[in-house]
Coordinates of all heavy atoms in Angstrom, one line a residue:
M1 N 33.2 -72.8 -80.9 CA 32.4 -72.0 -81.7 C 31.0 -72.7 -82.0 O 30.0 -72.1 -82.0 CB 33.1 -71.6 -83.0 CG 32.3 -70.7 -83.9 SD 33.3 -70.1 -85.2 CE 32.1 -69.8 -86.4
V2 N 31.1 -73.9 -82.4 CA 29.9 -74.7 -82.7 C 29.0 -74.8 -81.5 O 27.8 -74.7 -81.6 CB 30.2 -76.1 -83.3 CG1 29.0 -76.9 -83.5 CG2 31.0 -75.9 -84.6
R3 N 29.6 -75.0 -80.3 CA 28.8 -75.1 -79.1 C 28.1 -73.8 -78.8 O 26.9 -73.8 -78.3 CB 29.8 -75.5 -77.9 CG 29.0 -75.7 -76.6 CD 29.9 -76.0 -75.5 NE 30.5 -77.3 -75.7 CZ 31.4 -77.8 -75.0 NH1 31.9 -77.2 -73.9 NH2 31.9 -79.0 -75.2
S4 N 28.7 -72.7 -79.0 CA 28.1 -71.4 -78.7 C 26.9 -71.1 -79.7 O 25.9 -70.6 -79.3 CB 29.1 -70.2 -78.8 OG 29.6 -70.1 -80.1
I5 N 27.1 -71.5 -80.9 CA 26.0 -71.4 -81.9 C 24.8 -72.3 -81.5 O 23.6 -72.0 -81.5 CB 26.5 -71.7 -83.3 CG1 27.4 -70.6 -83.8 CG2 25.3 -71.8 -84.3 CD1 28.1 -70.9 -85.1
A6 N 25.1 -73.6 -81.0 CA 24.1 -74.5 -80.6 C 23.3 -74.0 -79.4 O 22.1 -74.1 -79.3 CB 24.7 -75.9 -80.3
N7 N 24.1 -73.4 -78.5 CA 23.4 -72.8 -77.3 C 22.5 -71.6 -77.7 O 21.4 -71.4 -77.1 CB 24.4 -72.4 -76.2 CG 25.1 -73.6 -75.6 OD1 24.5 -74.6 -75.5 ND2 26.3 -73.3 -75.0
T8 N 22.9 -70.9 -78.6 CA 22.1 -69.7 -79.1 C 20.9 -70.2 -79.8 O 19.8 -69.6 -79.6 CB 23.0 -68.9 -80.0 OG1 24.1 -68.4 -79.4 CG2 22.2 -67.7 -80.5
V9 N 21.0 -71.3 -80.5 CA 19.8 -71.8 -81.2 C 18.8 -72.3 -80.2 O 17.6 -72.1 -80.4 CB 20.2 -72.9 -82.2 CG1 19.0 -73.7 -82.7 CG2 21.0 -72.3 -83.4
V10 N 19.2 -73.0 -79.2 CA 18.3 -73.4 -78.1 C 17.6 -72.3 -77.5 O 16.4 -72.3 -77.3 CB 19.1 -74.3 -77.1 CG1 18.2 -74.6 -75.9 CG2 19.6 -75.6 -77.7
S11 N 18.3 -71.2 -77.2 CA 17.7 -70.0 -76.6 C 16.7 -69.4 -77.6 O 15.6 -69.0 -77.2 CB 18.7 -69.0 -76.2 OG 19.6 -69.5 -75.2
L12 N 17.0 -69.4 -78.8 CA 16.1 -68.8 -79.9 C 14.8 -69.6 -79.9 O 13.7 -69.1 -80.0 CB 16.8 -68.8 -81.2 CG 16.0 -68.4 -82.4 CD1 15.6 -66.9 -82.3 CD2 16.7 -68.6 -83.7
L13 N 14.9 -71.0 -79.9 CA 13.8 -71.8 -80.0 C 12.9 -71.6 -78.8 O 11.6 -71.6 -78.9 CB 14.2 -73.3 -80.1 CG 14.8 -73.6 -81.4 CD1 15.2 -75.1 -81.4 CD2 13.9 -73.4 -82.6
W14 N 13.4 -71.5 -77.6 CA 12.6 -71.2 -76.4 C 11.9 -69.9 -76.5 O 10.8 -69.7 -76.1 CB 13.5 -71.3 -75.1 CG 13.6 -72.7 -74.6 CD1 14.8 -73.4 -74.6 CD2 12.6 -73.6 -74.1 NE1 14.6 -74.7 -74.2 CE2 13.3 -74.8 -73.8 CE3 11.3 -73.5 -73.9 CZ2 12.6 -75.9 -73.3 CZ3 10.6 -74.5 -73.4 CH2 11.2 -75.7 -73.1
T15 N 12.6 -68.9 -77.0 CA 12.0 -67.5 -77.2 C 10.9 -67.6 -78.1 O 9.8 -67.0 -77.9 CB 13.1 -66.5 -77.6 OG1 14.2 -66.5 -76.7 CG2 12.6 -65.2 -77.8
L16 N 11.1 -68.3 -79.2 CA 10.0 -68.4 -80.2 C 8.8 -69.2 -79.7 O 7.6 -68.8 -79.9 CB 10.5 -69.1 -81.5 CG 11.4 -68.3 -82.4 CD1 12.0 -69.2 -83.5 CD2 10.8 -67.1 -82.9
L17 N 9.0 -70.2 -78.8 CA 8.0 -70.9 -78.2 C 7.2 -70.0 -77.3 O 5.9 -70.0 -77.3 CB 8.5 -72.1 -77.5 CG 7.5 -73.0 -76.7 CD1 6.6 -73.7 -77.7 CD2 8.2 -73.9 -75.8
L18 N 7.9 -69.2 -76.5 CA 7.2 -68.3 -75.6 C 6.4 -67.2 -76.3 O 5.3 -66.9 -75.9 CB 8.2 -67.7 -74.6 CG 8.8 -68.6 -73.5 CD1 9.8 -67.9 -72.8 CD2 7.7 -69.1 -72.6
L19 N 6.9 -66.7 -77.4 CA 6.2 -65.8 -78.2 C 5.0 -66.4 -78.8 O 3.9 -65.7 -78.8 CB 7.1 -65.2 -79.3 CG 6.6 -64.2 -80.3 CD1 6.2 -62.9 -79.5 CD2 7.5 -63.9 -81.4
L20 N 5.0 -67.6 -79.3 CA 3.9 -68.2 -79.9 C 2.8 -68.5 -78.8 O 1.6 -68.4 -79.1 CB 4.3 -69.5 -80.6 CG 5.0 -69.4 -81.9 CD1 5.5 -70.7 -82.4 CD2 4.2 -68.6 -82.9
L21 N 3.3 -68.9 -77.6 CA 2.3 -69.1 -76.5 C 1.6 -67.8 -76.1 O 0.4 -67.8 -75.9 CB 3.1 -69.7 -75.3 CG 2.2 -70.0 -74.1 CD1 1.2 -71.1 -74.4 CD2 3.1 -70.4 -72.9
L22 N 2.4 -66.7 -76.1 CA 1.8 -65.4 -75.8 C 0.8 -65.0 -76.8 O -0.3 -64.5 -76.5 CB 2.9 -64.3 -75.7 CG 2.4 -62.9 -75.3 CD1 1.9 -62.9 -73.9 CD2 3.5 -62.0 -75.5
I23 N 1.1 -65.2 -78.1 CA 0.1 -64.8 -79.2 C -1.1 -65.7 -79.1 O -2.2 -65.2 -79.2 CB 0.8 -65.0 -80.6 CG1 1.9 -64.0 -80.8 CG2 -0.2 -65.0 -81.7 CD1 2.7 -64.3 -82.0
Y24 N -1.0 -67.0 -78.7 CA -2.1 -67.9 -78.6 C -3.0 -67.5 -77.4 O -4.2 -67.4 -77.6 CB -1.6 -69.3 -78.4 CG -2.7 -70.4 -78.4 CD1 -3.3 -70.7 -79.6 CD2 -3.0 -71.0 -77.2 CE1 -4.3 -71.7 -79.6 CE2 -4.0 -72.0 -77.2 CZ -4.6 -72.3 -78.4 OH -5.6 -73.2 -78.4
V25 N -2.4 -67.1 -76.3 CA -3.2 -66.7 -75.1 C -4.0 -65.4 -75.4 O -5.2 -65.3 -75.1 CB -2.3 -66.6 -73.9 CG1 -3.1 -66.0 -72.7 CG2 -1.9 -68.0 -73.5
V26 N -3.3 -64.4 -76.0 CA -4.0 -63.2 -76.3 C -5.0 -63.4 -77.4 O -6.1 -62.8 -77.3 CB -2.9 -62.1 -76.8 CG1 -3.6 -60.9 -77.4 CG2 -2.0 -61.7 -75.7
G27 N -4.8 -64.3 -78.3 CA -5.8 -64.6 -79.4 C -7.0 -65.2 -78.7 O -8.2 -64.9 -79.1
I28 N -6.9 -66.1 -77.8 CA -8.0 -66.7 -77.1 C -8.8 -65.6 -76.3 O -10.0 -65.6 -76.4 CB -7.5 -67.8 -76.1 CG1 -7.1 -69.0 -76.9 CG2 -8.6 -68.2 -75.1 CD1 -6.4 -70.1 -76.0
C29 N -8.1 -64.7 -75.7 CA -8.8 -63.6 -74.9 C -9.6 -62.8 -75.9 O -10.7 -62.4 -75.6 CB -7.8 -62.8 -74.2 SG -7.0 -63.7 -72.8
F30 N -9.0 -62.4 -77.0 CA -9.7 -61.5 -78.0 C -10.9 -62.2 -78.6 O -12.0 -61.7 -78.7 CB -8.8 -61.1 -79.1 CG -7.9 -59.9 -78.8 CD1 -6.9 -59.5 -79.6 CD2 -8.0 -59.2 -77.5 CE1 -6.0 -58.4 -79.3 CE2 -7.1 -58.2 -77.2 CZ -6.2 -57.8 -78.1
T31 N -10.7 -63.5 -78.9 CA -11.8 -64.2 -79.5 C -12.9 -64.4 -78.5 O -14.1 -64.3 -78.9 CB -11.3 -65.6 -80.0 OG1 -10.2 -65.4 -80.9 CG2 -12.4 -66.4 -80.7
Q32 N -12.6 -64.7 -77.3 CA -13.6 -64.9 -76.2 C -14.4 -63.6 -76.0 O -15.6 -63.6 -75.8 CB -13.0 -65.4 -74.9 CG -14.0 -65.8 -73.9 CD -14.9 -66.9 -74.3 OE1 -14.4 -67.9 -74.9 NE2 -16.2 -66.8 -74.1
M33 N -13.6 -62.5 -76.0 CA -14.2 -61.2 -75.8 C -15.3 -60.9 -76.9 O -16.4 -60.4 -76.6 CB -13.2 -60.1 -75.7 CG -13.7 -58.7 -75.5 SD -12.4 -57.5 -75.3 CE -11.6 -57.6 -76.9
V34 N -14.9 -61.1 -78.1 CA -15.8 -60.9 -79.2 C -17.0 -61.8 -79.2 O -18.1 -61.5 -79.4 CB -15.0 -61.0 -80.6 CG1 -16.0 -61.0 -81.7 CG2 -14.1 -59.9 -80.7
A35 N -16.8 -63.1 -78.8 CA -17.9 -64.1 -78.7 C -18.8 -63.7 -77.6 O -20.0 -63.8 -77.8 CB -17.3 -65.5 -78.5
D36 N -18.3 -63.2 -76.5 CA -19.2 -62.8 -75.4 C -20.0 -61.6 -75.8 O -21.2 -61.4 -75.5 CB -18.4 -62.4 -74.1 CG -17.8 -63.7 -73.5 OD1 -18.3 -64.8 -73.8 OD2 -16.9 -63.5 -72.6
S37 N -19.4 -60.7 -76.6 CA -20.1 -59.5 -77.1 C -21.2 -59.9 -78.0 O -22.3 -59.3 -78.0 CB -19.1 -58.5 -77.7 OG -19.8 -57.5 -78.4
A38 N -20.9 -60.9 -78.9 CA -21.9 -61.3 -79.8 C -23.1 -62.1 -79.1 O -24.2 -62.0 -79.6 CB -21.3 -62.2 -80.9
Q39 N -22.8 -62.7 -78.0 CA -23.9 -63.4 -77.3 C -24.9 -62.5 -76.6 O -26.0 -62.8 -76.4 CB -23.3 -64.3 -76.2 CG -23.1 -65.8 -76.7 CD -22.7 -66.7 -75.5 OE1 -22.2 -66.2 -74.5 NE2 -22.9 -67.9 -75.7
D40 N -24.4 -61.3 -76.3 CA -25.2 -60.3 -75.7 C -26.2 -59.6 -76.6 O -26.9 -58.7 -76.3 CB -24.4 -59.2 -75.0 CG -23.5 -59.7 -73.9 OD1 -23.9 -60.8 -73.3 OD2 -22.5 -59.1 -73.5
G41 N -26.3 -60.1 -77.9 CA -27.3 -59.6 -78.8 C -26.7 -58.6 -79.8 O -27.4 -58.1 -80.6
S42 N -25.4 -58.4 -79.8 CA -24.8 -57.4 -80.7 C -24.7 -58.1 -82.1 O -24.4 -59.3 -82.2 CB -23.4 -57.0 -80.2 OG -22.8 -56.2 -81.2
D43 N -24.9 -57.3 -83.1 CA -24.8 -57.8 -84.5 C -23.4 -57.6 -85.0 O -23.2 -57.6 -86.2 CB -25.8 -57.1 -85.4 CG -27.2 -57.5 -85.1 OD1 -27.4 -58.6 -84.6 OD2 -28.1 -56.7 -85.4
S44 N -22.4 -57.4 -84.2 CA -21.1 -57.0 -84.6 C -20.3 -58.2 -85.2 O -19.4 -58.0 -86.0 CB -20.2 -56.5 -83.4 OG -20.1 -57.5 -82.4
L45 N -20.8 -59.4 -85.0 CA -20.1 -60.6 -85.5 C -20.7 -61.2 -86.8 O -20.4 -62.2 -87.2 CB -20.0 -61.7 -84.4 CG -19.0 -62.8 -84.6 CD1 -17.6 -62.2 -84.7 CD2 -19.0 -63.7 -83.4
T46 N -21.6 -60.4 -87.4 CA -22.2 -60.9 -88.6 C -21.2 -60.9 -89.7 O -20.2 -60.2 -89.7 CB -23.4 -60.0 -89.0 OG1 -22.9 -58.7 -89.2 CG2 -24.5 -60.1 -88.0
A47 N -21.4 -61.8 -90.7 CA -20.4 -62.0 -91.8 C -20.3 -60.7 -92.6 O -21.3 -60.0 -92.8 CB -20.8 -63.1 -92.7
G48 N -19.1 -60.4 -92.9 CA -18.8 -59.2 -93.7 C -18.3 -58.0 -92.9 O -17.9 -57.0 -93.5
T49 N -18.4 -58.1 -91.6 CA -17.9 -57.0 -90.8 C -16.5 -57.1 -90.5 O -15.9 -58.2 -90.6 CB -18.7 -56.9 -89.4 OG1 -18.5 -58.1 -88.7 CG2 -20.2 -56.7 -89.7
K50 N -15.8 -56.1 -90.1 CA -14.4 -56.1 -89.7 C -14.2 -57.0 -88.5 O -13.2 -57.7 -88.4 CB -13.9 -54.7 -89.4 CG -13.7 -53.9 -90.7 CD -12.6 -54.4 -91.5 CE -12.3 -53.5 -92.7 NZ -11.2 -54.0 -93.5
V51 N -15.1 -57.0 -87.6 CA -15.0 -57.9 -86.4 C -15.0 -59.3 -86.8 O -14.1 -60.1 -86.3 CB -16.1 -57.6 -85.4 CG1 -16.0 -58.6 -84.2 CG2 -16.1 -56.2 -84.9
H52 N -15.8 -59.7 -87.7 CA -15.9 -61.1 -88.2 C -14.6 -61.4 -89.0 O -14.1 -62.5 -88.9 CB -17.1 -61.3 -89.0 CG -17.3 -62.7 -89.5 ND1 -16.8 -63.2 -90.7 CD2 -17.8 -63.8 -88.9 CE1 -17.1 -64.4 -90.8 NE2 -17.6 -64.9 -89.7
E53 N -14.1 -60.4 -89.8 CA -12.9 -60.7 -90.6 C -11.7 -60.9 -89.7 O -10.9 -61.8 -90.0 CB -12.7 -59.4 -91.5 CG -11.5 -59.5 -92.3 CD -11.2 -58.3 -93.2 OE1 -12.2 -57.5 -93.3 OE2 -10.1 -58.1 -93.6
F54 N -11.5 -60.1 -88.7 CA -10.3 -60.2 -87.8 C -10.5 -61.2 -86.6 O -9.5 -61.8 -86.2 CB -9.9 -58.9 -87.3 CG -9.4 -57.9 -88.4 CD1 -9.9 -56.7 -88.5 CD2 -8.4 -58.3 -89.3 CE1 -9.5 -55.8 -89.5 CE2 -8.0 -57.5 -90.3 CZ -8.5 -56.2 -90.4
Y55 N -11.7 -61.3 -86.1 CA -11.9 -62.0 -84.8 C -13.0 -63.0 -84.9 O -13.5 -63.4 -83.9 CB -12.2 -61.0 -83.7 CG -11.1 -59.9 -83.6 CD1 -11.4 -58.6 -84.0 CD2 -9.9 -60.2 -83.1 CE1 -10.5 -57.6 -83.9 CE2 -8.9 -59.2 -83.0 CZ -9.2 -57.9 -83.4 OH -8.3 -57.0 -83.3
G56 N -13.4 -63.5 -86.1 CA -14.5 -64.4 -86.2 C -14.2 -65.8 -85.7 O -15.1 -66.5 -85.3
S57 N -13.0 -66.2 -85.6 CA -12.6 -67.5 -85.1 C -11.2 -67.4 -84.5 O -10.5 -66.4 -84.7 CB -12.7 -68.6 -86.2 OG -11.7 -68.3 -87.2
L58 N -10.8 -68.4 -83.8 CA -9.4 -68.3 -83.2 C -8.3 -68.3 -84.3 O -7.4 -67.5 -84.1 CB -9.2 -69.6 -82.3 CG -7.9 -69.6 -81.6 CD1 -7.7 -68.4 -80.7 CD2 -7.8 -70.9 -80.8
D59 N -8.5 -69.0 -85.4 CA -7.4 -69.0 -86.4 C -7.4 -67.6 -87.1 O -6.3 -67.1 -87.4 CB -7.6 -70.1 -87.4 CG -8.9 -70.1 -88.1 OD1 -9.9 -69.5 -87.6 OD2 -9.0 -70.7 -89.2
R60 N -8.5 -66.9 -87.2 CA -8.5 -65.6 -87.8 C -7.9 -64.6 -86.9 O -7.1 -63.7 -87.3 CB -9.9 -65.1 -88.1 CG -10.5 -65.8 -89.3 CD -11.9 -65.3 -89.6 NE -12.5 -66.0 -90.7 CZ -13.6 -65.7 -91.3 NH1 -14.3 -64.6 -90.9 NH2 -14.1 -66.4 -92.3
T61 N -8.1 -64.7 -85.6 CA -7.5 -63.9 -84.6 C -6.0 -64.0 -84.5 O -5.3 -63.1 -84.5 CB -8.1 -64.1 -83.2 OG1 -9.6 -64.0 -83.3 CG2 -7.6 -63.2 -82.2
L62 N -5.6 -65.3 -84.5 CA -4.1 -65.6 -84.5 C -3.5 -65.0 -85.8 O -2.4 -64.4 -85.7 CB -3.9 -67.1 -84.4 CG -4.3 -67.7 -83.1 CD1 -4.1 -69.2 -83.1 CD2 -3.6 -67.1 -81.9
L63 N -4.1 -65.1 -86.9 CA -3.6 -64.6 -88.1 C -3.5 -63.1 -88.1 O -2.5 -62.5 -88.5 CB -4.4 -65.0 -89.3 CG -4.0 -64.5 -90.7 CD1 -2.6 -65.0 -91.1 CD2 -5.0 -64.8 -91.8
A64 N -4.5 -62.4 -87.6 CA -4.5 -61.0 -87.4 C -3.4 -60.5 -86.5 O -2.7 -59.5 -86.8 CB -5.9 -60.5 -86.9
L65 N -3.2 -61.2 -85.4 CA -2.1 -60.9 -84.4 C -0.8 -61.0 -85.1 O 0.1 -60.2 -84.9 CB -2.2 -61.7 -83.2 CG -3.4 -61.3 -82.2 CD1 -3.5 -62.3 -81.1 CD2 -3.2 -59.9 -81.7
Y66 N -0.6 -62.2 -85.8 CA 0.7 -62.4 -86.5 C 1.0 -61.3 -87.5 O 2.1 -60.8 -87.6 CB 0.7 -63.8 -87.1 CG 1.9 -64.0 -87.9 CD1 3.1 -64.4 -87.3 CD2 1.9 -64.0 -89.3 CE1 4.3 -64.6 -88.1 CE2 3.0 -64.2 -90.1 CZ 4.2 -64.5 -89.4 OH 5.3 -64.7 -90.2
Q67 N 0.0 -60.9 -88.3 CA 0.1 -59.9 -89.3 C 0.5 -58.6 -88.7 O 1.2 -57.8 -89.3 CB -1.1 -59.8 -90.2 CG -1.3 -61.0 -91.1 CD -2.5 -61.0 -91.9 OE1 -3.5 -60.3 -91.5 NE2 -2.5 -61.6 -93.1
T68 N -0.1 -58.2 -87.6 CA 0.2 -57.0 -87.0 C 1.6 -56.9 -86.4 O 2.3 -55.9 -86.4 CB -0.8 -56.6 -85.9 OG1 -0.9 -57.7 -84.9 CG2 -2.2 -56.3 -86.4
I69 N 2.0 -58.1 -85.8 CA 3.4 -58.1 -85.2 C 4.4 -58.0 -86.3 O 5.4 -57.3 -86.2 CB 3.5 -59.4 -84.4 CG1 2.7 -59.3 -83.1 CG2 5.0 -59.6 -84.1 CD1 2.7 -60.6 -82.4
T70 N 4.2 -58.7 -87.5 CA 5.2 -58.7 -88.5 C 5.1 -57.5 -89.5 O 5.9 -57.4 -90.4 CB 5.1 -60.0 -89.3 OG1 3.8 -60.1 -89.9 CG2 5.5 -61.2 -88.5
G71 N 4.1 -56.6 -89.3 CA 4.0 -55.4 -90.1 C 3.1 -55.6 -91.3 O 3.1 -54.7 -92.2
G72 N 2.3 -56.7 -91.4 CA 1.5 -56.9 -92.6 C 0.2 -56.0 -92.5 O -0.3 -55.6 -93.6
I73 N -0.3 -55.7 -91.3 CA -1.5 -54.9 -91.1 C -1.1 -53.9 -90.1 O -0.4 -54.2 -89.1 CB -2.7 -55.8 -90.6 CG1 -3.0 -56.8 -91.6 CG2 -3.9 -54.9 -90.4 CD1 -4.2 -57.7 -91.2
N74 N -1.7 -52.7 -90.2 CA -1.5 -51.7 -89.2 C -2.3 -52.0 -87.9 O -3.5 -52.5 -88.0 CB -2.0 -50.3 -89.8 CG -1.6 -49.2 -88.9 OD1 -1.0 -49.3 -87.8 ND2 -1.9 -48.0 -89.4
W75 N -1.8 -51.8 -86.8 CA -2.4 -52.0 -85.5 C -3.8 -51.3 -85.4 O -4.7 -51.9 -84.9 CB -1.5 -51.6 -84.3 CG -0.5 -52.6 -83.9 CD1 0.8 -52.5 -84.3 CD2 -0.7 -53.8 -83.2 NE1 1.5 -53.6 -83.8 CE2 0.6 -54.4 -83.1 CE3 -1.7 -54.4 -82.6 CZ2 0.8 -55.6 -82.5 CZ3 -1.5 -55.6 -82.0 CH2 -0.3 -56.2 -81.9
K76 N -3.8 -50.1 -85.9 CA -5.1 -49.3 -85.8 C -6.2 -50.0 -86.5 O -7.3 -50.0 -86.0 CB -4.8 -47.9 -86.3 CG -6.0 -47.0 -86.1 CD -5.7 -45.6 -86.4 CE -6.9 -44.7 -86.4 NZ -8.1 -45.0 -85.8
E77 N -5.9 -50.5 -87.7 CA -6.9 -51.2 -88.5 C -7.5 -52.4 -87.8 O -8.7 -52.7 -87.9 CB -6.3 -51.6 -89.8 CG -7.3 -52.2 -90.8 CD -6.6 -52.6 -92.1 OE1 -5.5 -52.1 -92.4 OE2 -7.2 -53.4 -92.8
V78 N -6.7 -53.1 -87.0 CA -7.1 -54.3 -86.4 C -7.8 -54.0 -85.0 O -8.8 -54.7 -84.7 CB -5.9 -55.3 -86.1 CG1 -6.3 -56.5 -85.3 CG2 -5.3 -55.7 -87.5
L79 N -7.4 -53.0 -84.4 CA -8.0 -52.6 -83.1 C -9.2 -51.8 -83.1 O -10.0 -51.8 -82.2 CB -6.9 -51.9 -82.2 CG -5.8 -52.8 -81.7 CD1 -4.8 -52.0 -80.8 CD2 -6.4 -53.9 -80.8
D80 N -9.5 -51.1 -84.2 CA -10.7 -50.3 -84.4 C -12.0 -51.0 -84.2 O -12.9 -50.5 -83.6 CB -10.7 -49.5 -85.7 CG -9.9 -48.2 -85.6 OD1 -9.5 -47.8 -84.5 OD2 -9.5 -47.7 -86.7
P81 N -12.1 -52.2 -84.8 CA -13.4 -53.0 -84.6 C -13.7 -53.4 -83.1 O -14.8 -53.6 -82.8 CB -13.2 -54.2 -85.4 CG -12.2 -53.9 -86.4 CD -11.3 -52.9 -85.7
L82 N -12.7 -53.4 -82.3 CA -12.9 -53.8 -80.9 C -13.5 -52.7 -80.1 O -14.2 -52.8 -79.2 CB -11.6 -54.3 -80.2 CG -11.0 -55.6 -80.7 CD1 -9.7 -55.8 -80.0 CD2 -11.9 -56.7 -80.6

């Protein structure tokens, strides 16, 4: 019984690692997309906008993705600024 629980925990940890890696890669893509848009002369990344609030930096993007996955923020609210 203990062995089966230990094997399950190992699988759980690998699953969590893959989920975090996926969130990180998608966060980098979103942040890069917003940064490229801002470089083209768009004023969308100015402070106080929803784009800056959700995607102003990599840590903000990761937080927004985590909050949407866990139900803290509605997906529509986070995706509308894009």
